[in-house]
DNA sequence: CGAATTTGTGGAACCGGTTCCTTACTTCTG
DNA sequence: CAGAAGTAAGGAACCGGTTCCACAAATTCG
């Protein structure tokens, strides 16, 4: 492996001149620059990043911490981040900090301290107070995707507003009995769920309707949505005509549950999701689209800006979703609306 | 930020002694060691990885290259790798090398050359000849998950054997008209698909049955499986009684398609998948289980072993799957079997 | 008991870059 | 035309560790 000293020798210049020529900073004559460049090319010279970061203090890589990568949202954000970094020649170090694990503890206590990156992107991490402290104590910029806006910059969907619009969509279609599906009973994912619940409640309150929240078991997955929806829909007396799902995966689970129970969507039940998941189209799911990939890219931009000017104020970007109407929502049927009034049975099909 | 020199000064020893004390290598008296250790703790000393890798030549991190992270298999493998590395205190640099993109070209031409890791894990990369050349030219160990076994170590499912067993499962249940669902018409993912097709064909040949392959559009996703299955099953005259799907996502798409077309699973149609995807249980899918997370962990072990002894021979680990019987497969109905003989219609439901 | 070995420690070189400082030659500017 | 400013390049220090080597003291051995 040839180093910059070899390049310098081959080009007949000093190390410092070679360095300047290759980096493009400082005074170098055009003639020298090209001589160094071709010497470097001839030798197949590749700078040592270790040496570079040792002497400059910059590592040209950023750390990404997330609680899992095998969920749609997280994987998409990760791809967005990776693409954005790749385009700028930066590297990405991935840390999978699953809540409650020993690995997570180690990440926050040891790993992050090792100064291996110029900044951190924390995705849906929902850090404990001391975890956040540790991240900030590194003195490096931190950007969150989903999360606390008070101490770091953040980019995320405006969850409250989004759930509110989803709910209003159903209300506008004449639905009265609308439940929110997908608040976890345990509060491991509080941030997103509680905020969306709040938006739903707000919309219901403004329309003078009473809110009802159905809990999903554990994760916000399709099977969880399915199970919760089976519970919710099996009792035909209290059956809602509209469901606002916490996310598309839960919404799709609900649609599949409805189908299995013989409940027509959207004739007897309207379902609206949040995400615009890659499967939404297949299930004709009406949803509020967010673009996680773009959020990843935006997080990178925010982070780089913060690296460039370290004492700029943290920024909070709350993104507005776009309503994508497909075929899982429709007007509340006359009979179904009636059930609200007289409390009678919803039609079985 | 305090360096090892500060620690040495605080402990009243030389830099070299401090280094030995902290690394545990070489002669240091127990008394000195503990004095250095507490000095380091008091100062909150964290070694600079840049300096360490510059002087040792080892980076304590490994590169993972994959074409996407937002597919179930890849995300699971990635989590497995990350967990295994985390447990060993190694860092993971992620490179998302999407086929045909400019980013991929850059990864292979520039990024990998930057010596930022001690080894590479290539997941489902299906590298072109020159891409493989470049990886190997780095002189660092390479382990593939899915992929070529001739030039690198590899860990993967025994795809041919797996598809064969899936097919035999249906044959044993009395099915005769069995199609393989999910070979892409374009050959962008050749390795996995073609090998599985071969296993299917082998089983069919041995049972004296004729093979039929149905192509899915583009990716091996659930919507793709759905679309292909709708095509396949709409024509009730040639309808199969069994489907071997290239993977669970395609299998689930097929099950949903069957349901929408009013075809009972498993009464009128048996579907078997490969993977044991996280949604398999919800759809009662019979499948051949592979464990991608474990494959990621295994790849890490293989890689570390290869880093330890650089001139060991490459190893090929072909894993055997476990058949998980759920409720998407059942005996071929008498009527259905008869259709094979008389060529008549399969029952509509 | 003297020599050989083991143990403990410090000094200095080194890994491979970047950057500050100095020198020297040009080119403006008043 | 002298001095200031701009351009070009080299020397050496530095980033923060690890490791080789030298040396001294303690221990083992023949």
């Amino acid at each position: 492996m040839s180093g910059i000293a070899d390049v310098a020798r081959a080009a007949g210049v000093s190390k410092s001149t070679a360095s300047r020529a290759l980096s493009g900073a400082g005074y170098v004559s055009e003639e020298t620059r090209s001589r160094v460049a071709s010497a470097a090319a001839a030798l197949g010279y590749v700078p040592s990043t270790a040496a570079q970061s040792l002497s400059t203090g910059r590592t040209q890589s950023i750390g990404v911490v997330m609680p899992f990568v095998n969920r749609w949202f997280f994987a998409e954000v990760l791809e967005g981040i990776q693409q954005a970094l790749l385009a700028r020649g930066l590297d990405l170090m991935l840390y999978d900090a699953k809540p409650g694990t020993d690995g997570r503890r180690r990440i926050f206590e040891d790993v992050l301290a090792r100064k291996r990156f110029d900044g951190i992107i924390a995705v849906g991490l929902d850090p404990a107070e001391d975890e956040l402290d540790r991240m900030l104590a590194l003195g490096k910029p931190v950007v969150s995707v989903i999360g606390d806006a008070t101490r770091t910059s953040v980019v995320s969907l405006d969850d409250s507003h989004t759930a509110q619009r989803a709910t209003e969509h159903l209300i506008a279609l004449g639905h009265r009995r609308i439940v929110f599906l997908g608040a976890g009973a345990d509060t491991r994912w509080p941030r997103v769920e509680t905020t969306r619940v709040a938006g739903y409640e707000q919309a219901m309150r403004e329309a003078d309707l009473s809110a009802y929240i159905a809990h999903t078991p554990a994760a916000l997955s399709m099977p969880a949505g399915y199970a919760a929806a089976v519970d919710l829909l099996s009792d035909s007396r209290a059956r809602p005509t509209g469901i606002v799902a916490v996310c598309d995966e839960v919404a799709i689970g609900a649609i599949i549950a409805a189908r299995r129970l013989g409940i027509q969507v959207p004739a007897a039940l309207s379902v609206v999701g949040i995400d615009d998941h890659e499967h939404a189209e297949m299930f004709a799911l009406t949803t509020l689209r967010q673009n996680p990939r773009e959020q990843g890219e935006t997080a990178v931009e925010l982070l780089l800006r913060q690296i460039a000017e370290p004492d700029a104020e943290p920024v909070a970007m709350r993104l507005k979703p776009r309503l994508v109407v497909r075929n899982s929502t429709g007007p509340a049927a006359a009979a179904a609306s009636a059930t609200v009034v007289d409390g009678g049975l919803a039609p079985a099909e």
Side-chain angles (χ1 to χ4, degrees), chain A:
Chain A
M1 288 302 120
S2 47
I4 202 172
D6 304 301
V7 174
R9 200 173 316 118
V13 298
S14 70
K15 260 176 68 178
S16 43
T17 302
S19 174
R20 262 174 274 141
L22 292 170
S23 73
Y27 294 117
V28 186
S29 73
E30 186 43 45
E31 193 253 324
T32 308
R33 184 196 316 291
S34 72
R35 198 145 39 85
V36 171
S38 53
L43 291 170
Y45 166 72
V46 177
S48 151
T49 46
Q52 276 179 150
S53 42
L54 183 57
S55 75
T56 62
R58 264 161 286 121
T59 63
Q60 306 290 14
S61 70
I62 73 113
V64 174
V65 191
M66 38 174 73
F68 20 67
V69 314
N70 63 352
R71 301 239 67 85
W72 175 77
F73 180 84
F74 291 87
E76 288 285 320
V77 171
L78 184 55
E79 285 207 357
I81 293 174
Q82 162 61 25
Q83 295 297 319
L85 290 177
L86 187 56
R88 292 169 174 79
L90 301 173
D91 286 327
L92 149 27
M93 323 209 62
L94 177 66
Y95 301 98
D96 185 354
K98 301 207 177 302
T101 61
D102 190 56
R104 177 163 178 139
R105 198 186 46 67
R106 218 172 23 249
I107 286 175
F108 282 103
E109 290 182 8
D110 308 340
V111 181
L112 293 185
R114 276 198 313 232
K115 334 167 178 172
R116 299 201 71 165
F117 25 71
D118 300 331
I120 299 179
I121 299 181
V123 185
L125 202 52
D126 199 17
E129 206 54 39
D130 64 314
E131 293 174 336
L132 191 56
D133 286 344
R134 279 182 195 276
M135 282 201 289
L136 293 169
L138 300 176
K140 303 221 175 294
V142 178
V143 171
S144 310
V145 177
I146 302 184
D148 191 6
T150 60
R151 303 175 64 192
T152 75
S153 283
V154 66
V155 36
S156 85
L157 187 64
D158 184 338
D159 288 298
S160 168
H161 170 259
T162 302
Q164 193 172 344
R165 276 188 62 194
T167 312
E168 287 166 357
H169 170 66
L170 293 184
I171 293 172
L173 286 167
H175 294 273
R176 295 290 170 265
R177 194 179 284 231
I178 302 169
V179 333
F180 184 92
L181 181 66
D186 66 342
T187 46
R188 283 266 280 282
W189 269 51
R191 208 81 57 193
V192 170
E193 286 181 40
T194 52
T195 316
R196 290 187 187 173
V197 167
Y200 156 78
E201 288 175 334
Q202 167 86 6
M204 294 298 273
R205 201 177 316 119
E206 286 178 4
D208 257 331
L209 299 172
S210 49
Y212 180 73
I213 291 150
H215 295 271
T216 46
L220 298 182
S221 65
M222 182 164 92
Y226 175 78
V230 166
D231 274 4
L232 174 69
L233 299 172
S234 293
D235 179 2
S236 61
R237 281 176 310 163
R239 188 180 294 160
T241 70
I243 290 180
V244 177
V246 67
C247 66
D248 278 2
E249 291 176 78
V250 166
I252 291 168
I255 289 177
I256 292 173
R259 263 192 216 142
R260 290 214 191 153
L261 294 170
I263 301 168
Q264 299 277 351
V265 174
L269 177 70
S270 285
V271 179
V272 56
I274 295 174
D275 272 350
D276 203 26
H277 187 279
E278 56 182 331
H279 293 163
E281 186 153 18
M282 169 174 159
F283 291 93
L285 179 65
T286 295
T287 190
L288 283 115
R289 171 181 299 165
Q290 69 169 322
N291 192 332
R293 188 175 297 255
E294 209 171 83
Q295 289 174 42
E297 291 164 11
T298 307
V300 169
E301 277 168 35
L302 247 51
L303 189 67
L304 295 182
R305 203 171 310 159
Q306 222 162 105
I307 290 172
E309 349 173 5
D311 27 53
E313 284 295 300
V315 191
M317 291 190 61
R318 299 293 181 189
L319 308 172
K320 304 299 177 196
R322 195 158 80 74
L323 175 65
V324 179
V325 180
R326 296 201 180 91
N327 204 28
S328 69
T329 52
S337 304
T339 62
V340 175
V341 177
D342 63 29
L345 292 176
E349 247 199 7

